[in-house]
Amino acid sequence: MKILVIGNGGREHALAWKLKQSPRVTKLYCAPGNPGTAALATNVPIKAEECEKLAQFAVENQIQLTVVGPEIPLTLGIVDEFKKRGLRCWGPSKAAATLEDSKVAMKEFLRRHNIPTAAFKIFNKVQDAHTYITEVDGPLVVKCDGLAAGKGVTVAKNAEEAHDAVERIMVNHEFGAAAGRQVVIEEVLKGEEISVFAFCDGHNAVLLDYVQDHKQVFDGDEGPNTGGMGAFSPVPGLMKPRDEDEMVRRILVPTMSGLVHEGRPYVGILYMGLMITDSGPKVIEYNVRFGDPECQTLMLRLKSDLVDVMEACIDGTLDRSSLEWHPGVSICVTMASRGYPGKYPIDVPIHGLDQVKDATIFHAGTKEKNGDVVTAGGRVLSVCALGDTLDEARSRVYRACDSVQFEGKHFRRDIGKRREARKSRR
Ligand code: AMP
Ligand code: GLY
């Protein structure tokens, strides 16, 4: 079977790595891929946003399954584009992918279907947003409406920070004019976050094991938010049986049935970013793709054949599927460039990749330059390890992080510590 993976990050490298393990795969392509995927697939120089070109490539090369990693081609309608040509493409339709496209649309969906989420208001006039912030005069979350690569959200400690976020989004158009036309202002939820993923076939869903991301750039959850500095799975003790029951009953089921009811059944992976609060789980956001680095963390533990599961999503046969997991612990640590999530240098040579033994390295922001692998982004590498225990996984992963070298490398040293802390509280 010939498979095409679309995207060029650590997530897509991990998907390609996992797909390649299926005995059903005869040929793997990655578009555009990165130096990591080049080692196990044929990289194709077409960008993830070039949906028509990608569909054309799939026709010409008789691709039997296309797997879409990032959200942008999904929100552009790549799945519909492939379907028109009779091609099988794993992911949600353009209509279903709107869930991630617009925070306003997401919050309105949650309200329509009575799904637990932070109380919110939507503003399209700068002055009205400022007036509301002055009235509340306390902590608030300000979110830009459109896609902003995870940077359009400010958890404001006070009114001043919230006013400032509105100015940056709606007046300075820091995330583009269209994305900044409206803002969502919502209450701050208290609790612990968890990433919940479900494979979906339109009507049925299969939950994956839980995984926890670390969004802030520095140890101890300090500093600004990033795309994700590391993750671990499973996540024992956070989602109590009562929370899990509520999550399925009040979040997963109404999300799936709400989308069916609206004529846009959801196929692919549904990512629910939840806050486990004292009054149960609440939706912070939906994403229509795998999380990064959550995907890398999960792929390391998944034992089931990913091709079978993805086909079941497309064929509507997930009710006959279940997932098998490695019983141990997996950890992923993001190695980032100096300055990330702010400005950072690129073209910095990376050394020591081939000395890593009992860890798996997925390339994220890397490229090849004159035969060397150099940095090309803020998040450079996803260093992952599996262990029978948390300590084993942590020592493997950090040994690998220490042996890989590039000028200005930085990573969090405390990925997985939160799990220990929770255990000792119990
Ligand atoms: P989002 O892009 O909506 O997932 O927001 C990015 C991050 O901001 C989340 O992962 C949370 O850490 C934080 N966040 C967003 N909304 C809230 C909220 N209502 N309360 C507390 N934290 C939030
Ligand atoms: N790690 C969070 C995300 O992929 O959005």
Side-chain angles (χ1 to χ4, degrees):
M1 181 173 195
K2 289 183 172 180
I3 299 195
L4 167 65
V5 175
I6 295 176
N8 66 348
R11 169 181 53 208
E12 289 77 22
H13 185 183
L15 290 171
W17 173 86
K18 179 65 191 159
L19 289 164
K20 182 86 185 217
Q21 291 167 19
S22 167
R24 299 180 57 200
V25 177
T26 52
K27 178 85 190 154
L28 193 60
Y29 296 93
C30 231
N34 63 34
T37 63
L40 46 87
T42 303
N43 281 351
V44 180
I46 307 176
K47 293 199 191 88
E49 301 77 35
E50 297 181 298
C51 302
E52 280 201 30
K53 274 195 188 169
L54 289 163
Q56 200 57 36
F57 174 85
V59 169
E60 283 161 13
N61 292 276
Q62 288 125 37
I63 303 295
Q64 288 146 295
L65 174 66
T66 298
V67 173
V68 188
E71 64 277 16
I72 292 187
L74 293 168
T75 57
L76 290 174
I78 193 165
V79 172
D80 311 68
E81 195 63 50
F82 273 60
K83 248 193 179 159
K84 265 197 311 215
R85 293 168 165 84
L87 295 165
R88 284 158 77 74
C89 188
W90 177 83
S93 64
K94 182 176 185 243
T98 316
L99 267 194
E100 175 164 357
D101 202 14
S102 154
K103 298 254 190 231
V104 168
M106 185 191 301
K107 294 298 284 195
E108 285 172 340
F109 175 87
L110 289 161
R111 178 148 59 194
R112 262 200 308 286
H113 298 284
N114 199 20
I115 298 169
T117 188
F120 68 100
K121 282 183 183 292
I122 295 163
F123 297 94
N124 54 23
K125 293 207 179 70
V126 183
Q127 198 43 53
D128 292 351
H130 283 311
T131 305
Y132 176 67
I133 291 167
T134 305
E135 273 167 26
V136 174
D137 193 23
L140 282 169
V141 184
V142 181
K143 301 185 172 186
C144 125
D145 179 35
L147 290 175
K151 291 168 196 146
V153 173
T154 302
V155 182
K157 286 192 286 297
N158 50 44
E160 195 186 331
E161 284 182 21
H163 285 304
D164 182 56
V166 167
E167 285 294 301
R168 285 192 286 114
I169 295 168
M170 297 185 90
V171 181
N172 305 341
H173 291 152
E174 256 179 47
F175 308 100
R181 250 197 296 274
Q182 301 185 88
V183 286
V184 175
I185 302 187
E186 62 182 39
E187 70 172 316
V188 179
L189 295 175
K190 295 257 176 297
E192 213 176 307
E193 285 183 66
I194 189 165
S195 302
V196 177
F197 294 90
F199 284 115
C200 303
D201 72 359
H203 299 269
N204 307 294
V206 176
L207 283 168
L208 281 76
D209 260 9
Y210 298 127
V211 51
Q212 203 170 31
D213 189 12
H214 297 64
K215 293 243 158 91
Q216 289 90 348
V217 70
F218 300 125
D219 283 17
D221 298 331
E222 298 287 338
N225 265 352
T226 68
M229 292 301 289
F232 63 85
S233 172
V235 187
L238 177 54
M239 189 84 100
K240 305 280 184 309
R242 190 171 38 106
D243 290 328
E244 183 156 69
D245 174 67
E246 201 167 311
M247 180 271 289
V248 172
R249 214 167 25 82
R250 297 202 56 205
I251 298 175
L252 179 60
V253 170
T255 300
M256 297 282 292
S257 62
L259 287 165
V260 169
H261 186 72
E262 295 182 7
R264 43 181 185 145
Y266 193 93
V267 174
I269 190 96
L270 178 67
Y271 169 174
M272 292 164 283
L274 305 185
M275 187 75 87
I276 308 302
T277 72
D278 287 343
S279 53
K282 295 193 174 171
V283 176
I284 297 175
E285 64 163 352
Y286 293 113
N287 293 295
V288 297
R289 46 155 180 96
F290 259 121
D292 181 337
E294 289 98 321
C295 178
Q296 295 89 308
T297 318
L298 290 168
M299 287 307 112
L300 224 64
R301 283 193 58 227
L302 183 65
K303 283 185 167 177
S304 313
D305 189 319
L306 187 58
V307 178
D308 292 346
V309 181
M310 287 178 163
E311 287 212 308
C313 293
I314 297 175
D315 294 333
T317 55
L318 265 184
D319 52 333
R320 282 177 252 149
S321 302
S322 59
L323 300 174
E324 219 191 315
W325 298 94
H326 184 289
V329 178
S330 79
I331 296 225
C332 174
V333 173
T334 302
M335 291 185 76
S337 298
R338 178 192 294 139
Y340 175 79
K343 285 211 175 79
Y344 51 81
I346 58 164
D347 288 338
V348 181
I350 306 171
H351 304 286
L353 286 170
D354 43 10
Q355 274 144 44
V356 170
K357 298 256 162 5
D358 44 10
T360 305
I361 297 196
F362 297 118
H363 288 232
T366 72
K367 67 179 179 200
E368 208 193 290
K369 198 173 180 193
N370 307 324
D372 293 326
V373 178
V374 300
T375 66
R379 292 194 292 170
V380 179
L381 299 167
S382 302
V383 182
C384 302
L386 196 56
D388 290 332
T389 61
L390 177 69
D391 283 347
E392 190 174 56
R394 271 176 55 84
S395 67
R396 285 182 177 159
V397 100
Y398 283 114
R399 228 178 4 248
C401 290
D402 287 330
S403 68
V404 173
Q405 301 299 336
F406 58 90
E407 168 70 33
K409 74 172 182 180
H410 88 85
F411 54 92
R412 281 182 61 160
R413 285 266 172 202
D414 63 345
I415 307 300
K417 286 256 168 167
R418 206 186 274 159
R419 190 172 186 270
E420 264 165 16
R422 190 175 319 111
K423 261 193 176 156
S424 61
R425 279 205 303 271
R426 282 199 298 163

